[in-house]
Amino acid sequence: MRGKEIRLERIMRRDTGTTVIVPMDHGVTSGPIPGLIDLDRSVELVARGGANAVIGHMGLALHGHRKGGPDIGLILHLSASTDLGPDPNDKVLVNTVQNALKMGADGVSVHINIGAESEARMLQDLGSIAIECIEWGMPLLAMMYPRGKKINYDNMVDSIKIAARVASELGADIVKTVYTGDPDTFREVTEGCHVPVVIAGGSKSDDLTTLKLIEGSMEGGGAGVSIGRNAFQHKYPDKFVRAATMIVHERRSAEEAMEILNQD
């Protein structure tokens, strides 16, 4: 387990236990979208802004590795589906923990859609990967999303609470899930989960809305963010990430963080 502790410190700040992660795994799901055409440049910009880690598939490790610039943690994503598949919610394993170690990863991640028709198999995959991560001392981030016919989208809090708890019960070290909308209900999620919870960024939004979302999640006991499009598709990814780190690591307000984005 010492290996896990050491690697976790590469993707989470050891003094605060918080993290700013930028997922860049969208190339498999959606193809070469804006912001991810030039992978090494994208990694360079978010690293310059102070991101703790990036998430990506093998392509990120193979084609986004820089030989200079600020250091940044690598979380290798092990599951995938595409927007063109018959069921994009059906995630399958496409990589292994052992290969992630060979690629120099500091952690691995898997995506599980709670409530999807293929939930049972995805949960089986999560459990198996968690056991391998314990064996190899590899941190595991579980992306847990409530999606399916039984999900009550008018009252998502209970579904998000279940999704987060499932991940911690099955051995994840960090849980990524959606924000509930306010600090009080999000605290129900974080208090019901044994491990740190970070929020997803969701669809592309304006800066202040996204920063307020981050602020609210931290007030609700969150451990940080895992924000993709709002970071790498920003006009100034380095500035946006710096603003996010101010809220996550320094506990500054969204308004204070906006000052960074308003600077020339």
Side-chain angles (χ1 to χ4, degrees), residues 5 26 35-36 45 55 58 120 152 159 170 237 244:
E5 294 174 12
H26 306 65
L36 295 183
L45 288 171
I55 298 175
M58 279 284 288
N152 181 0
S159 297
L170 294 183

PDB file of all heavy atoms in Angstrom, residues 5 26 35-36 45 55 58 120 152 159 170 237 244:
ATOM      1  N   GLU A   5       0.238   5.226  -1.623  1.00  0.00           N
ATOM      2  CA  GLU A   5       0.409   6.500  -0.919  1.00  0.00           C
ATOM      3  C   GLU A   5       1.342   7.429  -1.675  1.00  0.00           C
ATOM      4  O   GLU A   5       1.071   8.626  -1.825  1.00  0.00           O
ATOM      5  CB  GLU A   5       0.953   6.239   0.490  1.00  0.00           C
ATOM      6  CG  GLU A   5      -0.006   5.489   1.393  1.00  0.00           C
ATOM      7  CD  GLU A   5       0.638   5.134   2.717  1.00  0.00           C
ATOM      8  OE1 GLU A   5       1.735   5.664   3.009  1.00  0.00           O
ATOM      9  OE2 GLU A   5       0.059   4.327   3.462  1.00  0.00           O
ATOM     10  N   HIS A  26     -11.352  12.459 -24.096  1.00  0.00           N
ATOM     11  CA  HIS A  26     -12.461  12.663 -25.024  1.00  0.00           C
ATOM     12  C   HIS A  26     -12.156  12.195 -26.454  1.00  0.00           C
ATOM     13  O   HIS A  26     -13.070  12.034 -27.257  1.00  0.00           O
ATOM     14  CB  HIS A  26     -12.844  14.140 -25.054  1.00  0.00           C
ATOM     15  CG  HIS A  26     -13.139  14.727 -23.710  1.00  0.00           C
ATOM     16  ND1 HIS A  26     -12.177  14.845 -22.729  1.00  0.00           N
ATOM     17  CD2 HIS A  26     -14.270  15.247 -23.187  1.00  0.00           C
ATOM     18  CE1 HIS A  26     -12.707  15.402 -21.650  1.00  0.00           C
ATOM     19  NE2 HIS A  26     -13.980  15.650 -21.909  1.00  0.00           N
ATOM     20  N   GLY A  35      -9.277  21.754 -28.770  1.00  0.00           N
ATOM     21  CA  GLY A  35      -8.571  21.739 -27.491  1.00  0.00           C
ATOM     22  C   GLY A  35      -7.724  20.510 -27.292  1.00  0.00           C
ATOM     23  O   GLY A  35      -6.831  20.504 -26.441  1.00  0.00           O
ATOM     24  N   LEU A  36      -8.005  19.463 -28.081  1.00  0.00           N
ATOM     25  CA  LEU A  36      -7.242  18.220 -27.941  1.00  0.00           C
ATOM     26  C   LEU A  36      -6.603  17.780 -29.252  1.00  0.00           C
ATOM     27  O   LEU A  36      -6.194  16.631 -29.383  1.00  0.00           O
ATOM     28  CB  LEU A  36      -8.140  17.094 -27.396  1.00  0.00           C
ATOM     29  CG  LEU A  36      -8.679  17.282 -25.980  1.00  0.00           C
ATOM     30  CD1 LEU A  36      -9.493  16.062 -25.564  1.00  0.00           C
ATOM     31  CD2 LEU A  36      -7.557  17.539 -24.981  1.00  0.00           C
ATOM     32  N   LEU A  45      -0.189  23.551 -21.341  1.00  0.00           N
ATOM     33  CA  LEU A  45      -0.950  24.704 -20.858  1.00  0.00           C
ATOM     34  C   LEU A  45      -1.583  24.441 -19.492  1.00  0.00           C
ATOM     35  O   LEU A  45      -1.521  25.295 -18.598  1.00  0.00           O
ATOM     36  CB  LEU A  45      -2.028  25.088 -21.875  1.00  0.00           C
ATOM     37  CG  LEU A  45      -1.514  25.745 -23.156  1.00  0.00           C
ATOM     38  CD1 LEU A  45      -2.638  25.877 -24.178  1.00  0.00           C
ATOM     39  CD2 LEU A  45      -0.908  27.112 -22.850  1.00  0.00           C
ATOM     40  N   ILE A  55      -5.973  13.139 -17.220  1.00  0.00           N
ATOM     41  CA  ILE A  55      -6.491  11.796 -17.458  1.00  0.00           C
ATOM     42  C   ILE A  55      -6.562  11.574 -18.962  1.00  0.00           C
ATOM     43  O   ILE A  55      -7.038  12.447 -19.696  1.00  0.00           O
ATOM     44  CB  ILE A  55      -7.898  11.611 -16.861  1.00  0.00           C
ATOM     45  CG1 ILE A  55      -7.882  11.780 -15.335  1.00  0.00           C
ATOM     46  CG2 ILE A  55      -8.460  10.231 -17.228  1.00  0.00           C
ATOM     47  CD1 ILE A  55      -9.265  11.727 -14.713  1.00  0.00           C
ATOM     48  N   MET A  58      -4.243   5.668 -23.809  1.00  0.00           N
ATOM     49  CA  MET A  58      -2.865   5.409 -24.237  1.00  0.00           C
ATOM     50  C   MET A  58      -2.319   6.519 -25.122  1.00  0.00           C
ATOM     51  O   MET A  58      -1.139   6.849 -25.075  1.00  0.00           O
ATOM     52  CB  MET A  58      -2.818   4.082 -24.991  1.00  0.00           C
ATOM     53  CG  MET A  58      -2.783   2.865 -24.104  1.00  0.00           C
ATOM     54  SD  MET A  58      -1.156   2.602 -23.366  1.00  0.00           S
ATOM     55  CE  MET A  58      -0.252   2.052 -24.813  1.00  0.00           C
ATOM     56  N   ALA A 120     -24.151  -4.142 -14.308  1.00  0.00           N
ATOM     57  CA  ALA A 120     -23.593  -5.305 -13.608  1.00  0.00           C
ATOM     58  C   ALA A 120     -22.184  -5.624 -14.090  1.00  0.00           C
ATOM     59  O   ALA A 120     -21.275  -5.854 -13.292  1.00  0.00           O
ATOM     60  CB  ALA A 120     -24.510  -6.520 -13.795  1.00  0.00           C
ATOM     61  N   ASN A 152     -33.951   8.935 -11.387  1.00  0.00           N
ATOM     62  CA  ASN A 152     -34.902  10.039 -11.292  1.00  0.00           C
ATOM     63  C   ASN A 152     -34.139  11.339 -11.498  1.00  0.00           C
ATOM     64  O   ASN A 152     -33.497  11.840 -10.582  1.00  0.00           O
ATOM     65  CB  ASN A 152     -35.597  10.022  -9.926  1.00  0.00           C
ATOM     66  CG  ASN A 152     -36.612  11.145  -9.784  1.00  0.00           C
ATOM     67  OD1 ASN A 152     -36.812  11.957 -10.690  1.00  0.00           O
ATOM     68  ND2 ASN A 152     -37.286  11.181  -8.632  1.00  0.00           N
ATOM     69  N   SER A 159     -29.391   9.410  -6.194  1.00  0.00           N
ATOM     70  CA  SER A 159     -28.651   8.597  -7.163  1.00  0.00           C
ATOM     71  C   SER A 159     -27.160   8.888  -7.107  1.00  0.00           C
ATOM     72  O   SER A 159     -26.335   7.973  -7.209  1.00  0.00           O
ATOM     73  CB  SER A 159     -29.180   8.858  -8.578  1.00  0.00           C
ATOM     74  OG  SER A 159     -30.527   8.476  -8.690  1.00  0.00           O
ATOM     75  N   LEU A 170     -16.287  -0.492  -3.300  1.00  0.00           N
ATOM     76  CA  LEU A 170     -15.599  -1.466  -4.146  1.00  0.00           C
ATOM     77  C   LEU A 170     -14.099  -1.212  -4.271  1.00  0.00           C
ATOM     78  O   LEU A 170     -13.415  -1.935  -4.990  1.00  0.00           O
ATOM     79  CB  LEU A 170     -16.252  -1.510  -5.526  1.00  0.00           C
ATOM     80  CG  LEU A 170     -17.693  -2.051  -5.558  1.00  0.00           C
ATOM     81  CD1 LEU A 170     -18.217  -2.127  -6.981  1.00  0.00           C
ATOM     82  CD2 LEU A 170     -17.788  -3.423  -4.890  1.00  0.00           C
ATOM     83  N   PRO A 237      -6.328  28.221 -21.286  1.00  0.00           N
ATOM     84  CA  PRO A 237      -6.411  27.086 -20.368  1.00  0.00           C
ATOM     85  C   PRO A 237      -5.559  27.246 -19.123  1.00  0.00           C
ATOM     86  O   PRO A 237      -5.973  26.846 -18.022  1.00  0.00           O
ATOM     87  CB  PRO A 237      -5.918  25.914 -21.225  1.00  0.00           C
ATOM     88  CG  PRO A 237      -6.222  26.322 -22.624  1.00  0.00           C
ATOM     89  CD  PRO A 237      -5.978  27.801 -22.652  1.00  0.00           C
ATOM     90  N   ALA A 244      -8.988  27.835 -11.008  1.00  0.00           N
ATOM     91  CA  ALA A 244      -9.553  26.674 -10.310  1.00  0.00           C
ATOM     92  C   ALA A 244      -8.700  26.268  -9.114  1.00  0.00           C
ATOM     93  O   ALA A 244      -9.228  25.932  -8.048  1.00  0.00           O
ATOM     94  CB  ALA A 244      -9.690  25.506 -11.287  1.00  0.00           C
TER      95      ALA A 244
END
